[in-house]
Amino acid sequence: MDVYGLIGNPVGHSLSPPMHEAGYEALGVDARYVTFEPPVEGAAAAVEGAADLGVAGLNVTIPFKQDALVAVEPDPLARRIGAVNTVDFSGERPTGHNTDAVGATRALRAHDVTLSGTAVVVGAGGAGRAVAFGLADEGMTVRVANRTASKADGLADEVAATTDGADATGHGLDALPELLADADVLVNATSVGMESEETPVPADALHGDLGVLDAVYRPLETRLLRDAADAGATTVDGAWMLLYQGVAAFERWTDREAPVDAMNEALRERL
Ligand code: ATR
């Protein structure tokens, strides 16, 4: 039996165990997915120790995504993002990856959103970084807007410096109406809207040519997504991003195509 898991603190309410186990069941893979909650200062040792215990793969969540970067050999994308959310122990040395980026791009593609033109990424924290690098790697022009504009500038500079041919700029939230006027994709990568009726984007800045992904998944139907639907945009809720980051980890670990429908069903049953 293969053991996979999630390391974080806290991890009690994680949706990853049922999502991954639904995947193993659908494919008849003999595996379990468990959660580990080491003390906050013990992350690097725990990741290293997991290999010795025979753990085949780990997802990493808050507050360990940066610690994992030094405990394993990060791939170039994880290094640029500055965070590892997936560790693969199948090689000689554990390798670190970041599937949050592909989680966003696959979620958008699954809804027939074309990843070309201009993307507006709201937020410059962990999620915003992953999304900005992911969309820039698709060849999109990236406009990062953040409450703290200097963080948006910093992220945009890093994206521009490490992505071939990238066009990336940083802005404050006040620039959103202007930025969105000729944008093709909008991603909310802030926590605004989580368990609240707030939105980081003025409703009248939205329009029907946008594909809008909200990384927030509690609630599934955020005010931003309702406003976007009213404007005629294509909407993608945060559970899709959560699903596809898990799908990408699943596929890396098992070398098999993930049973996306079964994993999606298990996830949505619990939201
Ligand atoms: P995560 O890993 O989920 O991205 P994070 O790294 O703490 O979490 O980043 C949170 C993001 O949400 C940041 O972009 C933050 O903006 P600041 O950089 O200005 O702090 C944004 N955010 C959080 N609360 C916000 C609010 N009330 N209004 C606007 N942006 C907010």
Side-chain angles (χ1 to χ4, degrees), residues 62 122-128 146-148 151 173 189-192 198 200:
I62 289 164
V122 189
N146 196 48
R147 176 176 61 181
T148 311
K151 266 173 74 180
L173 294 179
T190 73
S191 48
V192 180
E198 285 165 45

Coordinates of all heavy atoms in Angstrom, one line a residue, residues 62 122-128 146-148 151 173 189-192 198 200, ligand 1:
I62 N -0.2 25.5 4.5 CA 0.2 26.6 5.5 C 0.5 25.9 6.8 O -0.3 25.1 7.3 CB -1.0 27.6 5.6 CG1 -1.0 28.4 4.3 CG2 -0.9 28.5 6.8 CD1 -2.3 29.2 4.0
V122 N -5.7 39.5 -8.9 CA -5.9 40.3 -7.7 C -5.3 39.5 -6.6 O -5.7 38.4 -6.3 CB -7.4 40.6 -7.5 CG1 -7.5 41.6 -6.4 CG2 -8.1 41.1 -8.8
G123 N -4.3 40.1 -5.9 CA -3.7 39.4 -4.8 C -2.2 39.1 -5.1 O -1.9 38.8 -6.3
A124 N -1.3 39.3 -4.2 CA 0.1 39.1 -4.4 C 0.7 38.3 -3.2 O 1.9 38.3 -2.9 CB 0.8 40.4 -4.5
G125 N -0.2 37.5 -2.5 CA 0.3 36.6 -1.5 C 0.6 35.2 -2.1 O 0.9 35.2 -3.3
G126 N 0.6 34.2 -1.4 CA 1.0 32.9 -1.9 C 0.2 32.4 -3.1 O 0.7 32.0 -4.1
A127 N -1.1 32.6 -3.0 CA -2.0 32.2 -4.1 C -1.7 33.0 -5.4 O -1.6 32.6 -6.5 CB -3.4 32.2 -3.7
G128 N -1.6 34.3 -5.1 CA -1.4 35.3 -6.2 C -0.1 35.0 -6.9 O 0.0 35.1 -8.2
N146 N -3.0 44.6 -6.2 CA -3.0 44.2 -4.8 C -3.3 45.4 -3.9 O -3.0 46.6 -4.2 CB -1.7 43.6 -4.4 CG -1.7 42.8 -3.1 OD1 -2.6 42.0 -2.9 ND2 -0.8 43.1 -2.3
R147 N -3.9 45.2 -2.7 CA -4.2 46.2 -1.8 C -2.9 47.0 -1.4 O -2.8 48.2 -1.5 CB -4.8 45.6 -0.5 CG -5.0 46.6 0.6 CD -5.7 45.9 1.8 NE -4.9 44.8 2.4 CZ -5.2 44.1 3.4 NH1 -6.4 44.3 3.9 NH2 -4.5 43.1 3.8
T148 N -1.8 46.2 -1.2 CA -0.5 46.8 -1.0 C 0.2 46.8 -2.3 O 0.7 45.8 -2.8 CB 0.3 45.9 0.0 OG1 -0.5 45.7 1.2 CG2 1.6 46.6 0.4
K151 N 3.7 45.3 -3.1 CA 3.8 43.9 -3.3 C 3.5 43.4 -4.7 O 4.0 42.5 -5.2 CB 2.9 43.1 -2.3 CG 3.6 42.8 -1.0 CD 2.7 42.2 0.1 CE 2.2 40.8 -0.2 NZ 1.3 40.3 0.9
L173 N -5.4 48.4 -6.1 CA -6.7 47.9 -6.4 C -7.5 49.0 -7.2 O -8.4 48.7 -7.9 CB -7.5 47.5 -5.2 CG -6.9 46.3 -4.4 CD1 -7.8 46.0 -3.2 CD2 -6.9 45.1 -5.3
A189 N -7.2 36.1 -6.2 CA -6.3 35.3 -5.4 C -6.1 35.9 -4.0 O -5.1 35.7 -3.4 CB -5.0 35.1 -6.1
T190 N -7.1 36.8 -3.6 CA -7.1 37.3 -2.2 C -8.0 36.4 -1.4 O -8.8 35.6 -1.9 CB -7.5 38.7 -2.1 OG1 -8.9 38.8 -2.4 CG2 -6.8 39.6 -3.2
S191 N -8.1 36.7 -0.1 CA -9.0 36.0 0.7 C -10.3 36.8 0.8 O -11.3 36.4 1.6 CB -8.4 35.8 2.1 OG -7.9 37.1 2.6
V192 N -10.5 37.9 0.1 CA -11.7 38.7 0.2 C -12.8 37.9 -0.5 O -12.8 37.5 -1.6 CB -11.5 40.0 -0.5 CG1 -12.8 40.9 -0.4 CG2 -10.3 40.8 0.1
E198 N -18.2 40.2 0.8 CA -17.3 41.2 0.2 C -16.8 40.8 -1.2 O -16.7 39.6 -1.5 CB -16.2 41.5 1.1 CG -16.6 42.3 2.3 CD -15.5 42.3 3.4 OE1 -14.3 42.4 3.0 OE2 -15.8 42.1 4.6
P200 N -13.4 41.9 -4.0 CA -12.3 42.9 -4.2 C -12.5 43.7 -5.5 O -11.6 44.6 -5.8 CB -11.1 41.9 -4.3 CG -11.7 40.6 -4.8 CD -13.1 40.6 -4.3
Ligands
ATR1 P1 -2.7 33.4 0.4 O1 -1.6 32.4 0.6 O2 -4.0 32.8 0.5 O3 -2.5 34.1 -0.9 P2 -1.7 35.6 1.9 O4 -0.3 35.2 1.4 O5 -1.8 35.9 3.3 O6 -2.6 34.4 1.6 O7 -2.2 36.7 0.9 C1 -3.5 37.3 1.1 C2 -3.8 38.2 0.0 O8 -5.1 38.7 0.1 C3 -2.9 39.4 -0.2 O9 -2.8 39.8 -1.5 C4 -3.6 40.5 0.6 O10 -3.3 41.8 0.3 P3 -2.1 42.6 1.0 O11 -0.8 42.0 0.4 O12 -2.3 44.0 0.8 O13 -2.1 42.2 2.5 C5 -5.0 40.2 0.2 N1 -6.0 40.6 1.2 C6 -6.3 40.1 2.4 N2 -7.4 40.8 3.0 C7 -7.7 41.8 2.1 C8 -8.7 42.9 2.1 N3 -9.5 43.0 3.1 N4 -8.7 43.7 1.0 C9 -7.9 43.5 0.0 N5 -7.0 42.5 -0.1 C10 -6.8 41.7 1.0

